[in-house]
Amino acid sequence: MSKKGLIYILFFVVLLGGFYAAMIKFTDFEEVKLPVLNSVQPFSFVKQDSTVVTQKDLANRVYVAEYFFTTCKGICPKMNKNMQVVYEKFKNNPNFLILSHTVNPENDSVSVLKRYADSLGASPNNWWFLYGSKTDLYKSARESYLLDDPKNSSKNIDDQFLHTQFFALVDKQGRVRGIYDGIKKDEVDQLMLDIEEIIKE
């Protein structure tokens, strides 16, 4: 091979190397971030220690929201068994908490929610069991957390009973970033991975 040919080869090797270095420097190779699905609307509920909480109390904190009722014998025990796993993993992180809303406020008074929370070993500092009007509770599930069809709000509230097995992950800005099946281990495992990522943001 001629000297001129070697120079051309060397030139293209250097050019390719420079292009590769630029790709590494200017390209973000991090995983694609979770999408923003919705924003949580203002709310006011009472938690198991009888204190009133609003969305302002969640500023700069990541949380998971769910809906259940204390007398449920079907999916709720499975959901909250899985939620206990999430709780145990993150309970010492001050930037994370769990919101468990009752869908049956007629039965689940604040005192009933407290007994239920205590049975799960849940601290009111980072696992909130929330009571409020049925209208407000269901509105949050549908219009904030996307855990039920918003069209169902047009029905008579007295004739409704929301029963969902899904969890919603909310970031520090009050934005819904993921929906997970609360009775499926693989989805709960993914939820915990996503919590770790959202906390870092």
Side-chain angles (χ1 to χ4, degrees):
M1 184 178 293
S2 68
K3 185 176 180 181
K4 188 175 182 180
L6 287 173
I7 291 173
Y8 276 125
I9 291 173
L10 182 61
F11 172 76
F12 282 112
V13 168
V14 171
L15 186 66
L16 184 62
F19 176 75
Y20 181 73
M23 286 282 290
I24 292 175
K25 183 176 181 180
F26 295 109
T27 303
D28 185 1
F29 287 101
E30 294 182 0
E31 294 182 7
V32 176
K33 293 183 178 180
L34 292 171
V36 174
L37 304 178
N38 202 26
S39 293
V40 176
Q41 298 179 14
F43 65 80
S44 178
F45 296 122
V46 180
K47 66 175 179 173
Q48 71 264 35
D49 62 0
S50 299
T51 59
V52 176
V53 294
T54 73
Q55 78 285 351
K56 294 179 181 178
D57 296 301
L58 297 164
N60 298 315
R61 300 179 79 178
V62 174
Y63 67 94
V64 175
E66 69 157 348
Y67 285 76
F68 83 108
F69 59 108
T70 61
T71 56
C72 172
K73 303 298 183 185
I75 61 174
C76 300
K78 297 176 184 177
M79 291 165 56
N80 281 330
K81 182 177 181 180
N82 286 334
M83 193 66 90
Q84 277 184 296
V85 176
V86 178
Y87 175 71
E88 289 298 323
K89 183 175 178 63
F90 295 100
K91 68 180 181 180
N92 294 320
N93 190 320
N95 296 317
F96 176 79
L97 52 77
I98 297 169
L99 272 60
S100 294
H101 307 72
T102 179
V103 299
N104 186 18
E106 294 88 350
N107 176 74
D108 293 341
S109 64
V110 174
S111 60
V112 170
L113 289 175
K114 185 180 186 307
R115 286 196 298 272
Y116 186 88
D118 290 345
S119 74
L120 295 177
S123 167
N125 293 326
N126 47 18
W127 190 348
W128 299 354
F129 287 78
L130 300 179
Y131 171 87
S133 73
K134 190 174 182 180
T135 299
D136 289 344
L137 287 161
Y138 284 35
K139 181 178 180 180
S140 287
R142 291 163 178 166
E143 299 180 13
S144 288
Y145 302 116
L146 306 178
L147 297 180
D148 190 48
D149 188 345
K151 293 180 181 178
N152 289 334
S153 294
S154 62
K155 301 176 183 177
N156 186 335
I157 192 68
D158 294 330
D159 298 331
Q160 299 179 41
F161 197 83
L162 194 157
H163 203 201
T164 176
Q165 65 202 49
F166 293 96
F167 299 160
L169 174 60
V170 182
D171 67 17
K172 296 174 185 177
Q173 288 76 47
R175 303 174 302 181
V176 178
R177 301 292 294 277
I179 306 292
Y180 308 80
D181 190 323
I183 62 175
K184 292 184 177 178
K185 183 180 182 300
D186 60 332
E187 294 209 19
V188 175
D189 288 343
Q190 184 61 53
L191 167 63
M192 290 189 286
L193 291 174
D194 291 344
I195 289 170
E196 292 179 334
E197 291 304 312
I198 294 294
I199 287 175
K200 294 175 186 177
E201 290 185 352

